[in-house]
Each structure stands twice: as C-alpha cells, then as structure tokens.
Amino acid sequence: MKKLTYFIHDSKGNYEPFYEYSIPNVGLDEFYARQLCTYFIIKGTQYELVSNEMAGDEEILVLEERGKNNSVLDEKNYRGKGIHVEFRRYRESENYKLITAVPCRTHLDVIRYLLKDIIDVPGEGQMAVTSTEVDEDRGVYVLYVKAIGENDME
C-alpha cells in the first residue's frame, strides 16, 4: 500500500477524489484505522463510508455526504496532543454525551477498539459499539456506544 484516497460518490453516480494520505505522511496502522471507521468528519461535514476498496497499491474509501456535522458542547480538539479515542453515547437526544476519552500509544491501540462490537469503556464497563468515526477536524477517533442490550430506538 502506498496511498489511501477518499472519493466522494455524488447523487449522479460520479466519483471524485476528495482527500489523500500517503505512507510517508502516515503509517500503515493509521491507514487501517481509518478504513475501519464508518464516518469521516472534515471541514464541518459528515461523510459515511459506503465502500472500502483496493486497486493495486492504493486503498480507496468511497464516501457519501451526510450533511453538516453538528458540534456538541463537550467537544475537544486533540490536534498536536497525540492519538486519542473518545467514547460517546450514541443518542442524539443525549447530545452524543462524552463518556470518556483515552490516549493511545499507536494506531494499533485504536484498531483494537475499532475491530470490536463490545468494548470495555473505562469507568463504565462493557458497552456495545453502534458506529465509529474519524474526526479530522478535531484529530480524534470517536466510538459511539450504548449499554449492551439497549434498544436502538430513541
């Protein structure tokens, strides 16, 4: 793998290159972590992953725009502060409340969280993951969680 490219799929069936990372700039572990996230936030807009592809030495993530990413009150910027994972409640009615955030030594630590359906949330215990995102604007990975067995309906 030499590069990871995000493409936007528009409503007309077109695919436009949107954002790109290369191995000299980010490590292979970050390539994999990004591919495991179901949402990508950049420049105040939310995108959803609809396809994860490979073409030779290129990793391709196809996104569809979901609209403006609404900020919540307890958001923190992690840029320049290392790799972090936030755990948030998945409910909009609870303003996606921050449960906790943990620093990670490497993206491999992040990948361990991203691969799981059930995770240990520090201070809370085991919870079910509902979705994952990489928030490029704030420099953080976010896992949205709920109590195990909790109904998904708001």
Side-chain angles (χ1 to χ4, degrees):
M1 281 186 286
K2 293 184 179 175
K3 68 180 180 174
L4 170 70
T5 307
Y6 287 95
F7 282 81
I8 300 295
H9 175 239
D10 66 19
S11 58
K12 300 172 190 152
N14 298 315
Y15 297 86
E16 296 293 327
F18 175 64
Y19 210 76
E20 182 178 292
Y21 295 91
S22 60
I23 284 291
N25 298 328
V26 299
L28 188 59
D29 57 347
E30 185 173 346
F31 270 28
Y32 286 128
R34 288 177 167 279
Q35 291 178 63
L36 292 168
C37 293
T38 49
Y39 293 94
F40 179 62
I41 309 299
I42 190 165
K43 297 179 183 171
T45 302
Q46 181 184 63
Y47 299 90
E48 184 174 4
L49 178 67
V50 294
S51 184
N52 192 337
E53 306 172 9
M54 69 166 58
D57 284 343
E58 184 176 8
E59 303 297 304
I60 297 170
L61 300 179
V62 180
L63 307 171
E64 288 183 352
E65 185 176 330
R66 294 294 179 234
K68 183 180 182 311
N69 184 55
N70 296 318
S71 296
V72 293
L73 297 174
D74 55 8
E75 283 186 345
K76 179 179 175 183
N77 191 322
Y78 296 89
R79 290 248 161 253
K81 298 175 183 169
I83 304 165
H84 286 80
V85 174
E86 282 187 345
F87 302 94
R88 292 183 170 275
R89 287 284 296 157
Y90 81 104
R91 290 180 182 268
E92 184 178 8
S93 63
E94 295 177 14
N95 202 28
Y96 305 107
K97 180 183 173 190
L98 177 66
I99 298 169
T100 192
V102 297
C104 294
R105 289 187 354 258
T106 70
H107 281 89
L108 290 175
D109 296 331
V110 175
I111 290 169
R112 182 172 184 229
Y113 287 111
L114 294 173
L115 286 171
K116 305 296 187 264
D117 297 317
I118 305 292
I119 58 172
D120 281 324
V121 177
E124 296 291 319
Q126 288 192 319
M127 298 186 83
V129 176
T130 62
S131 66
T132 59
E133 76 183 22
V134 57
D135 188 328
E136 189 70 34
D137 294 343
R138 299 188 306 120
V140 65
Y141 293 90
V142 182
L143 279 78
Y144 293 91
V145 297
K146 65 179 184 172
I148 295 171
E150 182 178 347
N151 188 340
D152 284 343
M153 301 303 288
E154 293 236 17

